[in-house]
């Protein structure tokens, strides 16, 4: 969480930083601030709320650091906003991450005479650097940063300026930072999106890197070595600015929902191998390893966790390999049962989620082979895994994940085919059928948009309610969970999802007249479909209002659920494609409900896109 951008060059820094922060607001938007260095003086502007509030003023100068905050330590007020500074206002610092031992560090600093104006761990870090700066030979800033960071436990991406040096210092451990290299100018940001309009040349910092930039050049040092100058590759960023702009849509979320036919097509490109009846997805998973595979452990969070549930269902059913889905936030603390023949899979849109990264590190420490299904290219998880595949969904800016979910599921299907082929549990004939069906998925998703007007109408009804249930059976339980999460996070309507059969074991007590009950009912679910319809009757008897996602060829559904129920139609697809097809109308429903309620759709309260704190 939190977004950082810093600039050193020949142009006015302030407007560049404001624009960059706006592109990073998906990381947090509780408060924002900018510090600009000019003529050995650093001037500060901090605001509560969105980056937009920084625009009412400007500060001249061509070196600056800035920050948009997602509050961890301390409420969102001006004092707690970044940048933070030392007592004589010579050092200013922005930080993303958490300093876990800040309480003890603060006590020590207070004993040494330091005073604090905020509740943040970042101010503690700033003053710790100040302490080492004042006590180091020649007041060497690099040395002071190193000495301070040796005392720190936790995660940080930090950028610091010193009023007496025309330089920028940055350091990374656990929170992403990337250097943008322009023409006689440099940028340091949490995400290259912040500087993409200025340069595409990017150098991703690694853990324990410390970056030192002056007007002419930059150097990468290592936290634990002296006399160090590290070599790092400079990447060329391929994606375009249009990926991170709204392109005429009112919200990023709506744009991202509508991008799904294209993102799914991208995801499949070059990954279907009809000749060998296989997916070209996991070239680094050796057949010998797969044949001896004991089980798969998937760790993830939120929407990615729901995608993991879908993938578990499919791999167990088709590839016949046992899959455990773990909450990433729990995995490292539970002393997991691990076998060296297990495959660990980390699934993440951002590739920066701290819980998932920590779970991945635990798996690595236990000697597991690690595979990643990640969207953001060059992200921490994508670099930590042994192998993996990108989702190729492009930038997802809306906090509510949409196109990443469907991309993750599609990657899971490709993985399922490949594993099943090696294991011999998926025949050539079945593989060929699955792969042919996969090719149709972008067009089938497009078809679901035909229901958008109807969904808008249904949204008007749902928007008036305070509680909502989502029901499904089998694979659709995961889709119900995902639909429910989407609704609650952007519309603030309380919502829960259950396996439909569980309703009668407790939750049915909560059903009141007119409560929306969203049911996912695919006709080709066989006996489960009939059972689901019985569950619908149980709801109707308690006067719940049914909204059903049903197949376009299901002629009896309206009769079955009654004229007073809403029916949203989706194309009939094999079970392995259902999660993708069913989730799109649920995304649209959440979007239009939130819009109807006047919510901040792309930036819902209390949330941030990239959760880089545990
Ligand atoms: O970037 P990740 O996929 O690792 O993020 C995991 C969750 O934080 C994320 O899916 C979150 O639940 C979304 N806001 C849901 O829309």
């Amino acid at each position: 969480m939190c977004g950082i951008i810093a600039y050193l060059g020949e142009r006015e820094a302030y407007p560049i930083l404001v624009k960059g922060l706006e592109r990073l607001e998906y990381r947090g938007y509780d408060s924002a601030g900018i510090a600009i260095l000019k003529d050995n003086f650093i001037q500060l502007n901090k605001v509560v709320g969105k980056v937009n509030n920084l625009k009412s003023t400007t500060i001249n100068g061509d070196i600056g650091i800035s920050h948009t905050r997602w509050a961890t330590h301390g409420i969102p007020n001006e004092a707690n906003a970044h940048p933070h500074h030392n007592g004589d206002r010579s050092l200013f610092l922005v930080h993303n991450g958490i300093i876990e031992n800040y309480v003890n560090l603060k006590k020590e600093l207070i004993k040494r005479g330091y005073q604090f104006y905020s509740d943040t761990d970042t101010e503690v870090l700033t003053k710790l650097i100040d302490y080492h700066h004042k006590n180091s030979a020649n007041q060497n800033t690099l040395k002071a940063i190193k000495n301070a960071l040796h005392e720190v436990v936790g995660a940080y991406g930090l950028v610091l300026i010193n009023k007496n040096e025309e330089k920028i210092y940055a350091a990374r451990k656990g929170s992403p930072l990337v250097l943008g290299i322009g023409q006689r100018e440099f940028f340091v940001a949490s995400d290259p999106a912040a500087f993409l309009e200025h340069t595409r040349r990017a150098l991703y910092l690694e853990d324990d890197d410390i970056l030192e930039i002056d007007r002419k050049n930059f150097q990468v040092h290592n936290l634990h070595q002296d006399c160090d100058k590290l070599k790092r590759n400079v990447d060329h960023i391929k994606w375009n600015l249009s990926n991170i702009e709204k392109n005429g849509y009112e919200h990023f979320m709506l744009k991202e929902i509508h991008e799904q036919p294209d993102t799914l097509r991208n995801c499949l490109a070059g990954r279907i191998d009809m000749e060998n009846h296989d997916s070209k997805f996991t070239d680094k998973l050796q057949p010998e390893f797969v044949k001896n595979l004991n089980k798969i452990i998937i760790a993830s969070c939120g929407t990615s966790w729901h995608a993991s549930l879908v993938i578990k269902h499919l791999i167990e059913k088709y590839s016949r390999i046992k899959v455990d889905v773990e909450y990433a936030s729990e995995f490292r603390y539970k002393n997991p049962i691990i076998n060296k023949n297990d495959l660990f899979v980390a699934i993440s849109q951002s590739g920066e989620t701290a819980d998932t990264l920590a779970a991945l590190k635990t798996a690595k420490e236990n000697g597991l082979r690690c595979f990643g299904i990640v969207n953001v290219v060059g992200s921490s998880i994508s670099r930590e895994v042994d192998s993996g595949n990108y989702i190729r969904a492009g930038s997802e800016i809306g906090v509510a994940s949409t196109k990443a979910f469907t991309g993750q599921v599609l990657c899971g299907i490709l993985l399922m085919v490949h594993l099943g082929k090696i294991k011999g549990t998926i025949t050539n004939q079945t593989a060929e059928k699955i792969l042919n069906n996969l090719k149709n998925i972008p067009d089938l998703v497009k078809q679901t948009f035909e229901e958008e007007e109807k969904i808008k109408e249904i949204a008007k009804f749902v928007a008036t309610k305070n509680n909502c249930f989502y029901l499904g059976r089998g694979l659709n339980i995961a889709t119900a969970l995902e639909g429910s999460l989407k609704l609650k996070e952007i519309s603030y309507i309380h919502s829960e999802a259950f396996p439909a059969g569980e309703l009668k074991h407790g939750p049915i007590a909560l059903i009141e007249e007119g409560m929306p009950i969203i049911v996912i009912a695919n006709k080709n679910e066989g006996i489960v479909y009939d059972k689901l319809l019985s569950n619908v009757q149980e709801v109707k008897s308690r006067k719940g209002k049914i909204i059903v996602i049903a197949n376009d060829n299901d002629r009896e559904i309206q009769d079955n659920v009654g004229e007073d129920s809403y029916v949203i139609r989706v194309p009939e697809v094999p079970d392995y494609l259902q999660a993708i097809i069913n989730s799109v109308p649920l995304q649209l429903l959440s979007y239009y409900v939130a819009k109807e309620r006047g919510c901040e759709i792309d930036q819902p309260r209390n949330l941030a896109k990239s959760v880089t704190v545990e």
Side-chain angles (χ1 to χ4, degrees), residues 111-148:
K111 276 190 212 154
R112 291 168 188 159
Y114 279 85
Q115 290 178 344
F116 289 85
Y117 58 80
S118 79
D119 306 316
T120 64
D121 50 343
T122 305
E123 190 193 351
V124 175
L125 178 57
T126 313
K127 288 181 172 165
L128 186 64
I129 295 173
D130 175 73
Y131 170 77
H132 286 287
H133 192 244
K134 298 219 156 56
N135 290 287
S136 73
N138 311 322
Q139 300 220 330
N140 181 309
T141 310
L142 179 65
K143 190 83 193 135
I145 294 172
K146 281 189 177 188
N147 286 341

Side-chain angles (χ1 to χ4, degrees), residues 51-230:
V51 172
N52 197 36
N53 299 339
L54 288 169
K55 287 183 180 165
S56 56
T57 183
T58 191
I59 307 171
N60 294 330
D62 55 16
I63 299 176
I65 60 175
S66 65
H67 186 270
T68 178
R69 177 170 186 247
W70 184 81
T72 55
H73 297 70
I75 59 165
N77 62 15
E78 219 177 284
N80 290 331
H82 300 213
H84 287 282
H85 55 81
N86 61 346
D88 62 14
R89 298 175 80 98
S90 57
L91 302 175
F92 280 69
L93 181 137
V94 289
H95 165 225
N96 171 30
I98 286 187
I99 307 303
E100 289 170 13
N101 58 337
Y102 85 105
V103 174
N104 287 340
L105 292 172
K106 192 171 180 174
K107 275 187 201 152
E108 285 304 311
L109 287 165
I110 288 170
K111 276 190 212 154
R112 291 168 188 159
Y114 279 85
Q115 290 178 344
F116 289 85
Y117 58 80
S118 79
D119 306 316
T120 64
D121 50 343
T122 305
E123 190 193 351
V124 175
L125 178 57
T126 313
K127 288 181 172 165
L128 186 64
I129 295 173
D130 175 73
Y131 170 77
H132 286 287
H133 192 244
K134 298 219 156 56
N135 290 287
S136 73
N138 311 322
Q139 300 220 330
N140 181 309
T141 310
L142 179 65
K143 190 83 193 135
I145 294 172
K146 281 189 177 188
N147 286 341
L149 294 182
H150 283 306
E151 288 189 46
V152 157
V153 178
Y156 50 80
L158 68 86
V159 185
L160 176 136
I161 48 176
N162 177 340
K163 75 175 175 126
N164 299 315
E165 296 175 52
E166 293 198 327
K167 282 186 178 182
I168 284 177
Y169 295 91
R172 174 201 155 126
K173 185 171 193 173
S175 301
L177 274 185
V178 53
L179 167 70
I181 305 163
Q183 295 287 344
R184 294 186 297 281
E185 60 184 3
F186 299 99
F187 306 81
V188 182
S190 310
D191 175 340
F195 57 68
L196 195 61
E197 63 198 278
H198 309 293
T199 181
R200 289 174 172 278
R201 297 180 67 215
L203 181 154
Y204 290 89
L205 292 191
E206 295 181 8
D207 277 356
D208 295 335
D209 281 356
I210 302 183
L211 181 66
E212 183 179 7
I213 309 170
D214 60 27
R215 290 218 174 261
K216 294 211 174 100
N217 218 332
F218 68 88
Q219 278 174 18
V220 183
H221 308 274
N222 179 275
L223 174 61
H224 302 291
Q225 292 165 25
D226 285 330
C227 312
D228 50 324
K229 281 179 193 169
L230 303 176

Side-chain angles (χ1 to χ4, degrees), residues 21 89 190 221 239 249 255 275 378 466 509 532 568 574 596:
L21 285 181
R89 298 175 80 98
S190 310
H221 308 274
W239 38 279
Y249 284 94
K255 175 189 166 222
E275 212 174 303
N466 296 322
L532 191 68
I568 299 170
E596 201 59 40

Side-chain angles (χ1 to χ4, degrees), residues 468 470 479-489 495-497:
C468 200
Y470 285 71
T479 312
L481 284 163
E482 173 55 11
S484 170
L485 175 66
K486 220 81 308 168
L487 185 76
K488 75 181 102 179
E489 74 179 320
S495 164
E496 295 187 53

